[in-house]
């Protein structure tokens, strides 16, 4: 995450020491998958099986009776920008393409169809796709047969995309993904340009044909779209209205994931805790968490992103009652100033936010807290910014994803006359990140000598190092073996940096869940 894209290629995604990343806007470091980590993933034939990784337990799982119909498009290359929801959307899109008989390839030069799943949360993210498209000039030999643009920039630009990038044939927003097979059929029968841009939908993108690339943590979308209309945020315009999936479908998917070998699931939604059950069961979000925790074989459940407005005490009670609901909550603050929060239309004050935090701090287990903060929102005074810093000092988050405010099209704050200079935004971001770095060093060093259960996600032979995550989503590196990957081990912390811990194995594998 950050005001600039973190770029992570799938093959090095395991968070091993030395994993290439850049996160100028985040004090998130290696654990950036904790929250709305901005990633840039290339989905390739090899999927996510990087160093020391086992092949994913789950793959395309077409429902009985599905007939793969390969047309003129035989191969595809799909690159993803943005949040976990985009990553998971791409997993589903990839499943749909593979169920048509298409094969993923590692290089766009080899692909009949090149797809970019785009992000427009900040200006820099939105620009990324145009620089990618620059390499394909119409009619050039070696160019793919077709290029398609998916996701938030596709929705934002709509038909205008064809003017800006005439080499593009398909423009489709996430609210129209269920129409993708139809759009591809049209392209294969010779139509030059097709779009899926309607936001008038009550449907979620339901498909059993998902190719999951992470062999350890399975994403599971429970709610799509957003109705919040925060004045800085483009999401309601790019992802459409809020749509919750019925609890029976969510629980059935969780059981399928266990059958496929997953023990950890991460529930996804723009506002995950705004989920409400459209089925007759009428479960609340906290009840859904408890039901998921009861699914035999599920060992860890995470969820992101929660909105403070919908963060109720029964969520903490559910975590207290179910040890397999992870000790981790991501609760975006955005600003520590009530005045700025009001201008952002966030729907809570500084005091109300802190009340929620105090409720979380009273939980039986020590819950790890992370947040998102925007600095330099229109009209943010020095005093407003000081209030954000003082709140960070008071809460002592384990991670903060911080961003310079980036004006977005069609948002209420777009064009505000109170814009701050970029240099001032940069200065505030640096100050905030330095404060948070010191907090993380202190909090991580306080863990020296403690032991954690770790799900081992990778092994780097060159260093003899394994890497795993605790239930609080802390990254721990320790001397390990290739066969540790995929197992739950107890690891004792021996040293600590701002973004990750180093440890030593303290116990034998605990497979007795
Ligand atoms: N839906 C979630 C919510 O409202 O809490 C957050 C999702 S958004 C993908 C992730 C983060 O990006 C936000 O929490 C916010 O901090 C940041 N963000 C959103 N719009 C932004 C903007 N215009 N400029 C800078 N950061 C922004």
């Amino acid at each position: 995450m950050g005001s600039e894209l973190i770029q992570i290629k799938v093959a090095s995604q395991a968070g091993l020491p030395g994993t290439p990343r850049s996160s100028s806007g985040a004090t998130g470091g290696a654990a950036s998958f904790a929250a709305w980590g901005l990633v840039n993933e290339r989905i390739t034939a090899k999927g996510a099986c990087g160093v020391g990784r086992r092949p994913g337990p789950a793959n395309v799982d077409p429902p009985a009776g599905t007939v793969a119909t390969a047309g003129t498009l035989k191969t595809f290359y799909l690159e993803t920008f943005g949040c976990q929801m985009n990553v998971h959307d791409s997993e589903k899109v990839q499943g749909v393409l593979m169920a048509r008989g298409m094969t993923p390839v590692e290089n766009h030069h080899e692909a009949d169809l090149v797809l970019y799943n785009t992000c427009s949360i900040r200006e820099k993210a939105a620009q990324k796709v145009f620089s990618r498209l620059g390499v394909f000039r119409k009619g050039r030999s070696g160019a793919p047969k077709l290029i398609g643009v998916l996701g938030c920039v596709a929705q934002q630009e709509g038909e205008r995309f064809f003017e800006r990038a005439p080499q593009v044939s398909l423009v489709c927003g996430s609210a129209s993904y269920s129409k993708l097979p139809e759009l591809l059929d049209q392209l294969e029968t010779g139509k030059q340009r097709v779009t899926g841009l309607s936001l008038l939908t009550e449907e979620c993108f339901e498909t059993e044909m998902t190719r999951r690339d992470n062999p350890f943590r399975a994403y599971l979308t429970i709610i799509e779209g957003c109705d919040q209309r925060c004045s800085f945020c483009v999401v309601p315009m790019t992802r459409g209205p809020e749509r919750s999936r019925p609890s029976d479908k969510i629980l059935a998917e969780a059981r399928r994931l266990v059958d496929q070998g997953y023990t950890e699931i991460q529930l996804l939604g723009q506002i995950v805790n705004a989920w409400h059950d459209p089925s007759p069961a009428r479960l609340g979000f906290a009840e859904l968490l408890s039901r998921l925790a009861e699914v035999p074989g599920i060992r860890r459940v995470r969820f992101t992103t929660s909105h403070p407005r919908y963060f109720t005490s029964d969520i903490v009670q559910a975590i207290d009652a179910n040890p397999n609901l992870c000790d981790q909550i991501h609760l975006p603050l955005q600003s520590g100033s009530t005045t700025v929060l009001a201008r952002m239309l966030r729907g809570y004050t500084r005091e109300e936010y802190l009340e929620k935090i105090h409720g979380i701090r009273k939980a039986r287990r020590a819950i790890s807290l992370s947040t998102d903060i925007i600095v330099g929102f229109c009209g943010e005074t020095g005093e407003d910014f000081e209030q954000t810093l003082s709140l960070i000092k008071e809460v002592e988050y384990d991670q903060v994803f911080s961003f310079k405010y980036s004006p977005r099209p069609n948002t209420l704050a777009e064009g505000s006359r109170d814009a701050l200079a970029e240099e001032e935004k940069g200065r505030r971001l640096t100050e905030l990140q330095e404060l948070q770095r010191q907090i993380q060093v202190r909090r991580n060093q306080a863990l020296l000598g403690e032991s954690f259960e770790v799900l081992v996600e990778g092994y780097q032979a060159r260093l003899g190092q394994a890497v795993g995550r605790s239930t609080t989503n802390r990254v721990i590196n320790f001397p390990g073996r290739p066969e540790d990957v995929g197992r739950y081990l107890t690891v004792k912390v021996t040293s600590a940096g701002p973004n990750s811990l180093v440890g030593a194995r303290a116990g034998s594998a605990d497979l007795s869940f």
Side-chain angles (χ1 to χ4, degrees):
M1 306 212 24
S3 59
E4 289 174 30
L5 284 172
I6 288 179
Q7 300 203 342
I8 300 173
K9 289 182 188 169
V10 166
S12 57
Q13 193 181 304
L16 289 161
T19 297
R21 65 176 69 87
S22 76
S23 71
S24 65
T27 324
S32 56
F33 283 84
W36 284 97
L38 280 179
V39 297
N40 169 0
E41 258 183 41
R42 284 162 215 272
I43 292 182
T44 68
K46 280 192 190 142
C49 302
V51 190
R53 302 195 103 180
R54 282 197 241 152
N59 231 308
V60 185
D61 188 14
T66 301
V67 182
T69 52
T72 52
L73 300 171
K74 308 257 186 243
T75 54
F76 71 92
Y77 170 88
L78 170 55
E79 188 172 346
T80 306
F81 306 93
C83 61
Q84 284 107 325
M85 285 209 80
N86 264 14
V87 171
H88 187 41
D89 283 346
S90 285
E91 291 178 337
K92 292 195 258 184
V93 167
Q94 194 178 203
V96 168
L97 298 177
M98 290 171 78
R100 285 172 76 86
M102 292 176 70
T103 309
V105 292
E106 282 205 56
N107 193 312
H108 61 75
H109 296 300
E110 299 157 20
D112 294 334
L113 174 67
V114 170
L115 290 172
Y116 294 108
N117 190 359
T118 59
C119 168
S120 66
I121 200 77
R122 282 168 290 278
E123 179 60 22
K124 271 191 184 158
Q127 285 308 325
K128 210 83 192 172
V129 65
F130 293 104
S131 67
R132 285 288 191 282
L133 288 171
V135 301
F136 303 114
R137 288 200 206 93
K138 205 147 176 94
R140 221 169 87 169
S141 68
K145 285 201 179 94
L146 289 172
I147 303 170
V149 181
L150 309 175
C152 294
V153 183
Q155 188 69 52
Q156 186 182 293
E157 294 294 313
E159 302 267 353
R160 276 189 315 235
F161 219 113
F162 298 127
E163 289 158 35
R164 283 188 77 174
Q167 62 275 55
V168 168
S169 301
L170 162 76
V171 176
C172 183
S174 65
S176 303
Y177 285 163
S178 44
K179 298 204 176 65
L180 266 178
E182 202 182 300
L183 297 175
L184 291 169
D185 285 347
Q186 291 173 15
L187 287 174
E188 288 196 317
T189 51
K191 204 159 175 209
Q192 297 288 302
R193 285 176 171 174
V194 296
T195 56
L197 294 168
S198 173
L199 289 175
L200 299 173
T201 181
E202 291 176 7
E203 285 172 18
C204 291
F205 182 22
E206 289 291 346
T207 172
E208 289 178 26
M209 298 170 278
T210 302
R211 178 190 161 147
R212 286 191 165 79
D213 280 310
N214 186 325
F216 308 106
R217 180 182 306 179
Y219 292 139
L220 198 171
T221 302
I222 66 166
I223 177 170
E224 291 183 13
C226 183
D227 287 344
Q228 291 304 305
R229 306 264 159 190
C230 298
S231 60
F232 55 82
C233 190
V234 78
V235 168
M237 277 70 77
T238 57
R239 287 193 161 264
E242 201 172 272
R243 290 97 70 198
S244 290
R245 289 178 75 197
S247 54
D248 51 346
K249 283 198 172 161
I250 296 169
L251 289 161
E253 187 170 348
R255 285 190 284 268
R256 268 201 313 275
L257 289 169
V258 172
D259 290 344
Q260 290 165 347
Y262 283 100
T263 57
E264 178 170 329
I265 58 172
Q266 178 157 358
L267 309 181
L268 296 181
Q270 284 298 329
I271 308 285
V272 75
N273 56 337
W275 178 85
H276 50 273
D277 192 355
S279 81
R282 294 272 175 257
L283 300 186
F285 178 66
E287 288 171 304
L288 177 70
L289 288 179
S290 299
R291 293 286 182 90
L292 285 163
E294 284 160 14
V295 172
I298 289 190
R299 201 158 163 157
R300 289 181 173 183
V301 180
R302 304 183 193 275
F303 52 93
T304 197
T305 296
S306 294
H307 192 296
R309 197 165 172 176
Y310 303 97
F311 200 90
T312 44
S313 55
D314 56 353
I315 299 174
V316 180
Q317 285 157 16
I319 294 175
D320 272 344
N322 298 283
N324 50 356
L325 298 181
C326 286
D327 312 350
Q328 176 208 359
I329 292 170
H330 182 71
L331 200 62
L333 166 69
Q334 312 302 3
S335 170
S337 154
T338 296
T339 318
V340 175
L341 287 171
R343 278 208 303 276
M344 288 176 161
L345 302 181
R346 287 293 286 175
Y348 53 87
T349 62
R350 173 192 174 95
E351 290 70 29
E352 284 162 349
Y353 181 90
L354 283 171
E355 220 170 281
K356 312 262 174 185
I357 296 290
H358 294 144
I360 295 169
R361 290 284 187 227
K362 281 193 210 134
R364 289 202 198 111
R365 285 174 282 158
I367 294 178
S368 173
L369 275 166
S370 56
T371 197
D372 292 345
I373 293 177
I374 297 175
V375 302
F377 187 62
C378 318
E380 183 190 78
T381 62
E383 171 58 21
D384 290 322
F385 179 60
E386 286 302 322
Q387 290 196 32
T388 300
L389 297 181
S390 82
L391 193 144
I392 290 176
K393 284 182 199 152
E394 180 169 347
V395 174
E396 295 224 320
Y397 295 100
D398 287 312
Q399 264 186 308
V400 172
F401 300 95
S402 47
F403 315 97
K404 285 195 279 185
Y405 169 61
S406 165
R408 305 310 299 130
N410 306 319
T411 55
L412 280 168
E414 188 198 10
S416 163
R417 289 204 212 115
D418 301 330
L420 267 74
E422 281 305 308
E423 306 82 71
E424 181 56 17
K425 289 187 204 172
R427 195 198 61 71
R428 291 183 189 183
L429 187 68
T430 307
E431 185 176 348
L432 185 151
Q433 289 179 348
E434 176 51 25
L435 169 67
Q436 179 57 25
R437 196 191 65 78
Q438 290 167 16
I439 292 171
Q440 282 177 212
V441 168
R442 208 169 44 245
R443 287 185 66 79
N444 283 348
Q445 286 188 347
L447 300 174
L448 288 175
E450 280 196 35
S451 294
F452 292 101
E453 182 195 73
V454 161
L455 169 57
V456 184
E457 297 185 1
Y459 173 75
Q460 202 172 54
R462 191 172 55 82
L463 300 171
Q465 288 280 308
V467 65
R469 280 170 202 272
S470 66
T471 162
T472 56
N473 214 27
R474 283 195 170 84
V475 174
I476 309 187
N477 299 290
F478 62 98
R481 300 168 307 197
E483 58 269 30
D484 292 338
V485 176
R487 300 173 83 188
Y488 286 87
L489 299 178
T490 306
V491 177
K492 189 171 177 175
V493 179
T494 54
S495 70
N499 295 319
S500 62
L501 306 170
V502 176
R505 215 169 130 166
S508 55
D510 168 18
L511 301 171
S512 59
F513 188 71

